[in-house]
Each structure stands twice: as structure tokens, then as C-alpha cells.
Amino acid sequence: MTDKPVLQPSAKHPITITANPARVVVSVSGRVVADSQRVLTLQEASYPPVQYIPIGDVDRSLLERTDTATYCPFKGDASYYTVTVDGNRVADALWVYESPHPAVAEIKDHVAFYPDRVDSIDEQPSA
């Protein structure tokens, strides 16, 4: 077993996590699979912001864990899920850091969807 590097956010590679005041709705094959007003926005370096949704606000009956796993030295080990709606399977549509590194501990129990694998990730302003 090799040791995986653990890197800390820094001025050269900043990571911020902020509460998103919007309601975020994720749809796959025309069906809402996530709907939350408790979303965290993770901004990492110059990458596009990523919306992390509490797993409790996702329709888990549509999820199937896959064998896919990746590692980020800033965030940790990620696991992936396929979403199936009416027989339409979208492989590895979302990921989760179940034991994120301490610098990003807030994203524990939150999932993120690939924008190009879902119909939409819609941010609706709070009323």
C-alpha cells in the first residue's frame, strides 16, 4: 500500500467552502433527483465552483454505488454513484467524499453531480 499525499489549501491552491443561499435542484432524465436549500459551494483554485448537496436531500432510491474511486490530495478519496431514472442509467453521475481531509470537512455527507451527466443543476434564488 502506498501512502497518498495530503495537501493543504494555500495561496497557490485556495479552496473555499461557503453556504449557497439558493435552492439547488438537480434533474436527470426529466426527474428531480436532488432538491436542497442547504447546499455548500466549493471553489477550488481556478476550477468552476461545485455545488455539494446533503445526501439527505437526494433521492437515494435512484442511486447505485459503483466501483469507481478517485483520489484528490486536497479532499481525499471519492466514491461514485450511478443514477437510474426510468431505466436510463447515468454512470458515475455523482461523487461523495465520505471521509474528507480536515481542510474540507464540511463536505462530508454531501454529494456533487457532474454538470455534463445530468439534465440540469438549477440554482433558484431564495424567496
Side-chain angles (χ1 to χ4, degrees):
M1 178 94 188
T2 61
D3 290 324
K4 296 176 182 173
V6 176
L7 301 177
Q8 296 296 316
S10 67
K12 288 186 175 185
H13 193 99
I15 297 177
T16 59
I17 300 171
T18 55
N20 184 337
R23 175 183 178 197
V24 176
V25 179
V26 180
S27 297
V28 175
S29 296
R31 180 166 173 184
V32 171
V33 297
D35 186 343
S36 183
Q37 293 180 300
R38 303 178 299 132
V39 176
L40 299 174
T41 301
L42 184 144
Q43 178 66 59
E44 179 176 0
S46 61
Y47 302 119
V50 176
Q51 305 307 316
Y52 278 85
I53 299 169
I55 189 68
D57 293 342
V58 178
D59 185 345
R60 292 187 196 181
S61 71
L62 304 174
L63 305 183
E64 178 185 343
R65 191 175 185 124
T66 70
D67 291 333
T68 303
T70 58
Y71 180 74
C72 171
F74 292 97
K75 296 186 289 290
D77 291 301
S79 300
Y80 291 76
Y81 287 83
T82 289
V83 176
T84 303
V85 175
D86 298 329
N88 182 28
R89 293 175 50 83
V90 182
D92 297 331
L94 66 139
W95 70 91
V96 60
Y97 291 96
E98 293 169 332
S99 298
H101 293 324
V104 294
E106 298 105 312
I107 64 171
K108 180 176 175 43
D109 299 324
H110 288 65
V111 302
F113 290 83
Y114 282 106
D116 61 342
R117 297 185 189 177
V118 300
D119 294 348
S120 64
I121 301 173
D122 186 31
E123 293 184 59
Q124 303 170 357
S126 297

